[in-house]
Amino acid sequence: SIVLARVLKGMQQALVEGAKNINLVVSPYISGRLCDNKSLQQLTNYNADIIAYIDESDTRFLEDNPPKIPIVLYNRNSETFSTVRSDNDAAGRIAATQFISKGITQIGIVLQKRPFVSMHQRSNSFVQMCEEHGITSLHDNTVWSDGTVNGGFDAGIKIIERGVFPQGIYCDSDSVGLGLQSAFSKHRDKVPADIELVAIGTAPSILTPYGPPPLTLVELPLEEMAIRSAALLRDLLRHN
């Protein structure tokens, strides 16, 4: 995927520049089923791990069963393990500013039913900043999705069928935003031409401006976080 390619690019850059004797191995797992990955509890497979995109149940598993090797959690919070993450509060505020700076006060939001912790933090920050500026329409204009492009498309159809459009819509992921954009583009005769769409995510921003309506993306720094994760893990290995 595009996301994996960007993460690996950053890690490869950090490892090549800082430690040429380290081999990078990708070990896939199913989110929510990290407990099935037995290599974390064995010393024969890897010397260290960077673990990305775990959910809350995976975090609990790690805390209850600490690996015997150094680990870094990528873009997640933890009081137990080393982490590298984006500034989720800042990302939410940046998204809110996209509307506030244009005087948009009627805002809808499309949220995932089961968001990751980081995603939830970004959305909370977005809502908080909007409320600080007197925008109180959010809870009345909330639509839920499953977090996929298809889910975003379905959310767009729900908004169209309702027939009441806010001036702008915030999406908690770029996948949802792209699906919403697709639904609005397909039924553009029913959608206000000047509606603003803003999403936070990991898709390259080159994919998102096209519409109508265009989608503004607050892009997360995947490569930068990957470089910092690899550098941190290298330091942990040196001192382990």
Side-chain angles (χ1 to χ4, degrees):
S1 69
I2 294 175
V3 172
L4 179 60
R6 291 181 59 195
V7 172
L8 291 178
K9 178 182 178 182
M11 290 184 182
Q12 182 183 36
Q13 178 181 336
L15 294 177
V16 168
E17 293 176 355
K20 295 183 179 179
N21 62 333
I22 293 180
N23 294 321
L24 181 64
V25 178
V26 178
S27 178
Y29 73 96
I30 298 174
S31 180
R33 298 298 305 169
L34 188 63
C35 58
D36 294 336
N37 192 318
K38 305 304 181 185
S39 63
L40 283 173
Q41 305 302 323
Q42 299 172 1
L43 297 176
T44 56
N45 295 291
Y46 317 115
N47 299 111
D49 267 319
I50 297 172
I51 306 177
Y53 300 109
I54 59 176
D55 68 7
E56 292 186 34
S57 64
D58 294 325
T59 302
R60 289 193 298 270
F61 167 74
L62 286 174
E63 291 174 346
D64 292 340
N65 303 273
K68 300 181 173 102
I69 56 177
I71 68 168
V72 172
L73 301 186
Y74 178 89
N75 202 27
R76 290 294 182 266
N77 298 323
S78 175
E79 296 182 0
T80 305
F81 304 106
S82 300
T83 67
V84 172
R85 59 188 184 275
S86 60
D87 189 334
N88 295 310
D89 289 338
R93 292 194 297 271
I94 291 170
T97 301
Q98 297 293 320
F99 296 119
I100 295 167
S101 64
K102 298 176 183 178
I104 294 175
T105 57
Q106 293 297 316
I107 302 173
I109 51 179
V110 181
L111 303 176
Q112 293 189 34
K113 298 173 184 176
R114 297 181 60 187
F116 290 115
V117 174
S118 298
M119 189 178 295
H120 186 63
Q121 291 173 339
R122 294 192 288 268
S123 296
N124 281 347
S125 177
F126 173 86
V127 171
Q128 181 179 352
M129 185 167 183
C130 286
E131 291 178 344
E132 289 172 356
H133 286 76
I135 299 171
T136 59
S137 61
L138 298 172
H139 298 293
D140 295 330
N141 288 306
T142 300
V143 178
W144 301 94
S145 80
D146 64 3
T148 65
V149 173
N150 287 338
F153 186 92
D154 292 340
I157 296 301
K158 289 179 183 177
I159 295 171
I160 292 170
E161 291 175 345
R162 189 169 58 188
V164 179
F165 294 90
Q167 296 168 290
I169 299 177
Y170 162 81
C171 302
D172 63 2
S173 81
D174 47 15
S175 297
V176 172
L178 289 167
L180 188 72
Q181 181 187 47
S182 177
F184 283 179
S185 179
K186 183 175 182 179
H187 300 279
R188 66 187 66 180
D189 57 317
K190 301 178 182 178
V191 179
D194 59 348
I195 193 168
E196 294 272 349
L197 305 182
V198 175
I200 299 177
T202 56
S205 55
I206 192 173
L207 297 179
T208 59
Y210 308 105
L215 173 62
T216 299
L217 178 67
V218 178
E219 191 172 351
L220 299 177
L222 295 185
E223 290 91 347
E224 177 187 332
M225 289 190 294
I227 290 171
R228 289 164 51 202
S229 296
L232 177 56
L233 194 66
R234 190 173 63 240
D235 290 341
L236 292 174
L237 282 170
R238 286 172 177 168
H239 295 92
N240 189 50

